[in-house]
Amino acid sequence: MTTDANAPWLIVGLGNPGPEYAMNRHNVGFMVADLLAERIGGRFKRAGKAQAQVVEGRIGPPGPGNRRVILAKPMSYMNLSGGPVNALRDFYKVPVANVVAVHDELDIDYGTLRLKLGGGDNGHNGLKSITKAMGADYHRVRFGIGRPPGRMQVADFVLKDFSSAERKELDYFVDRATDAVECLVIEGLERAQSTYNS
């Protein structure tokens, strides 16, 4: 699928708002969005009527490889992410194929990345909400968090903080996921997959 080279990109980190959720596994999308904002020198601020915080900026080298991006963190709670994401997409006139959702993924080992375009939601409520609001043809950067141990419920697992052992590597993995998002936007999906899919 080709995209308009001049169209902006909307990069959405998925998570739940509020300090009590900040270090949850479910909030790794927010962590990546925060690091991207830091890299482009922006600060998140409330986005008009959309229930989200946004940063506008550019990523990539100066010149034609440069891309206009809108970074977003929906403030609606995970399972209602679709409304704010679609409102921002309409407002900034972003093609669906230029939307990137960064989210936690249970079926992938901790720290492993998988990038793809389109597909199902795999039971992820944030993706389910976005797909319902605007269709499934957007990019996903899936950040592996692994499966819950023993008989722990999935909902309990994703809403728990990363373990102390996981936290030792978390900064590295978030940094790598942020690199992957930049590569996807600047160089395209195939290059990003061949570099970061593991």
Side-chain angles (χ1 to χ4, degrees), residues 11 35 45 53 67-69 83 90 104 136 165 172-173 186:
I11 301 165
L35 182 55
K45 53 184 184 292
Q53 290 184 351
R67 298 283 180 267
R68 180 173 169 234
V69 296
D90 280 348
D104 56 305
Y172 168 75
F173 288 140
I186 298 162

Side-chain angles (χ1 to χ4, degrees), residues 14-15 20-32 103-106 108-113 142-147 152 156-171 173-174 177:
L14 293 181
E20 68 273 32
Y21 298 106
M23 289 305 295
N24 285 184
R25 293 181 178 94
H26 224 16
N27 268 44
V28 75
F30 274 19
M31 296 173 199
V32 172
H103 64 92
D104 56 305
E105 179 65 64
L106 286 159
I108 305 175
D109 290 340
Y110 173 60
T112 300
L113 294 177
R142 304 154 72 204
F143 185 112
I145 59 170
R147 301 293 305 180
M152 186 189 286
D156 294 334
F157 179 69
V158 299
L159 293 175
K160 278 204 165 24
D161 287 359
F162 284 102
S163 70
S164 53
E166 288 169 335
R167 277 204 294 272
K168 290 188 174 106
E169 294 181 292
L170 183 59
D171 286 350
F173 288 140
V174 167

Side-chain angles (χ1 to χ4, degrees), residues 5-182:
N6 298 315
W9 285 76
L10 174 61
I11 301 165
V12 182
L14 293 181
N16 287 308
E20 68 273 32
Y21 298 106
M23 289 305 295
N24 285 184
R25 293 181 178 94
H26 224 16
N27 268 44
V28 75
F30 274 19
M31 296 173 199
V32 172
D34 285 337
L35 182 55
L36 268 169
E38 200 178 299
R39 287 185 182 184
I40 66 173
R43 295 188 98 129
F44 278 100
K45 53 184 184 292
R46 209 66 182 189
K49 292 180 181 167
Q51 251 189 307
Q53 290 184 351
V54 298
V55 173
E56 292 180 61
R58 300 190 83 84
I59 62 176
N66 203 274
R67 298 283 180 267
R68 180 173 169 234
V69 296
I70 298 97
L71 311 178
K73 298 193 295 187
M75 293 285 121
S76 56
Y77 290 100
M78 183 68 86
N79 58 355
L80 298 172
S81 300
V85 172
N86 206 32
L88 290 171
R89 191 184 72 74
D90 280 348
F91 180 77
Y92 288 104
K93 299 180 172 45
V94 178
V96 172
N98 278 26
V99 176
V100 182
V102 185
H103 64 92
D104 56 305
E105 179 65 64
L106 286 159
D107 288 333
I108 305 175
D109 290 340
Y110 173 60
T112 300
L113 294 177
R114 292 270 197 291
L115 287 79
K116 68 174 191 169
L117 175 64
D121 56 56
N122 209 15
H124 192 288
N125 288 332
L127 296 183
K128 200 175 287 182
S129 178
I130 293 171
T131 297
K132 188 176 173 193
M134 64 180 208
D137 294 330
Y138 55 94
H139 287 87
R140 298 98 193 274
V141 175
R142 304 154 72 204
F143 185 112
I145 59 170
R147 301 293 305 180
R151 296 186 174 179
M152 186 189 286
Q153 294 293 313
V154 164
D156 294 334
F157 179 69
V158 299
L159 293 175
K160 278 204 165 24
D161 287 359
F162 284 102
S163 70
S164 53
E166 288 169 335
R167 277 204 294 272
K168 290 188 174 106
E169 294 181 292
L170 183 59
D171 286 350
Y172 168 75
F173 288 140
V174 167
D175 197 63
R176 192 164 180 274
T178 306
D179 290 345
V181 172
E182 291 185 338

